[in-house]
């Protein structure tokens, strides 16, 4: 899945980024369950997944190499009044065996290209407060910590 350069830096070989399809459901389901550290209701998840990938305001991408999934990213966009335009929020997951290989960066670059082409005002990402290491990852990808998000769960 990877090759090493002369300075032993890991690089992707034959990495492909493509739009998610119905057959990606199992990989994305397992990824989200791992990310959330819980087993989600598969039938409800499947219904939402199918709705989301068919929504033209959403973009779901898979990073793979020779049919092995390394990660995915979802991008949900909407027009928001307080931004006076369209913004998007990403959620992404890189499989544990493929972290640190630049896959997340490649996925975010594709989203940034899409955002530029569609004149989005901003790209946002949220992370659980328990995942402090993600803040550094997001900053390295070019995100700035600019807002606090408060949530009520029911």
């Amino acid at each position: 899945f990877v090759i090493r350069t002369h300075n032993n830096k890991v690089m992707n070989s034959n990495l492909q980024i493509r739009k998610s399809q119905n057959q990606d459901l199992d990989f994305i389901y397992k990824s989200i369950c791992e990310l959330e550290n819980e087993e989600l209701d598969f039938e409800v998840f499947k219904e939402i997944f199918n709705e989301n990938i068919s929504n033209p305001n959403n973009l779901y991408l898979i990073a793979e190499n020779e049919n092995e999934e390394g990660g995915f990213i979802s991008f949900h966009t909407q027009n928001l009044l307080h931004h006076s335009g369209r913004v998007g929020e990403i959620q992404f997951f890189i499989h544990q065996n493929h972290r640190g290989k630049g896959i997340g960066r490649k996925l975010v670059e594709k989203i940034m290209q899409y955002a530029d082409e569609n004149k989005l005002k901003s790209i946002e990402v949220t992370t659980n407060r328990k995942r402090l290491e993600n803040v550094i990852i997001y900053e390295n990808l070019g995100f700035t910590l600019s807002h606090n998000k408060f949530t009520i769960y029911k």
Side-chain angles (χ1 to χ4, degrees), residues 13 33-34 68 77 98 114 117 132:
S13 173
C33 288
E34 184 177 329
E68 180 186 3
T77 68
H98 303 296
Y114 174 88
E117 290 169 0
L132 296 176

Side-chain angles (χ1 to χ4, degrees), residues 20-57:
S20 298
Q21 301 168 355
N22 289 336
Q23 71 261 24
D24 299 314
L25 171 63
D26 287 335
F27 173 72
I28 293 176
Y29 172 75
K30 290 174 186 170
S31 299
I32 295 291
C33 288
E34 184 177 329
L35 189 64
E36 296 300 321
N37 200 27
E38 70 175 285
E39 188 168 331
L40 302 169
D41 182 313
F42 181 77
E43 291 305 316
V44 172
F45 187 95
K46 179 179 178 181
E47 185 178 321
I48 295 168
F49 173 79
N50 288 328
E51 177 184 321
N52 285 349
I53 66 170
S54 64
N55 184 331
N57 292 319

Side-chain angles (χ1 to χ4, degrees), residues 104-147:
R105 182 170 299 281
K106 296 263 189 225
L107 287 166
V108 169
E109 286 171 358
K110 288 288 187 184
I111 294 301
M112 290 173 71
Q113 178 183 352
Y114 174 88
D116 286 343
E117 290 169 0
N118 291 278
K119 298 179 179 26
L120 269 71
K121 298 280 186 175
S122 69
I123 300 170
E124 300 175 350
V125 61
T126 58
T127 187
N128 189 304
R129 293 183 80 165
K130 297 174 190 170
R131 297 190 192 105
L132 296 176
E133 69 279 2
N134 286 357
V135 173
I136 295 168
I137 292 169
Y138 298 140
E139 288 176 340
N140 287 337
L141 289 170
F143 291 90
T144 57
L145 187 56
S146 62
H147 293 76

Side-chain angles (χ1 to χ4, degrees), residues 5-107:
T5 63
H6 66 282
N7 62 0
N8 211 30
K9 181 173 169 74
V10 177
M11 295 186 59
N12 294 302
S13 173
N14 300 320
L15 180 68
Q16 301 292 318
I17 307 283
R18 62 169 176 80
K19 279 185 140 181
S20 298
Q21 301 168 355
N22 289 336
Q23 71 261 24
D24 299 314
L25 171 63
D26 287 335
F27 173 72
I28 293 176
Y29 172 75
K30 290 174 186 170
S31 299
I32 295 291
C33 288
E34 184 177 329
L35 189 64
E36 296 300 321
N37 200 27
E38 70 175 285
E39 188 168 331
L40 302 169
D41 182 313
F42 181 77
E43 291 305 316
V44 172
F45 187 95
K46 179 179 178 181
E47 185 178 321
I48 295 168
F49 173 79
N50 288 328
E51 177 184 321
N52 285 349
I53 66 170
S54 64
N55 184 331
N57 292 319
N58 301 334
L59 179 62
Y60 279 51
L61 301 174
I62 294 281
E64 68 180 358
N65 186 359
E66 298 173 9
N67 297 321
E68 180 186 3
E69 295 98 346
F72 84 94
I73 194 166
S74 65
F75 190 51
H76 292 235
T77 68
Q78 61 182 328
N79 285 311
L80 293 178
L81 294 173
H82 66 282
H83 286 284
S84 292
R86 196 165 161 212
V87 300
E89 183 171 354
I90 63 170
Q91 178 180 37
F92 70 104
F93 177 85
I94 306 303
H95 190 278
Q96 186 173 358
N97 295 342
H98 303 296
R99 292 179 187 158
K101 300 177 182 178
I103 294 172
R105 182 170 299 281
K106 296 263 189 225
L107 287 166

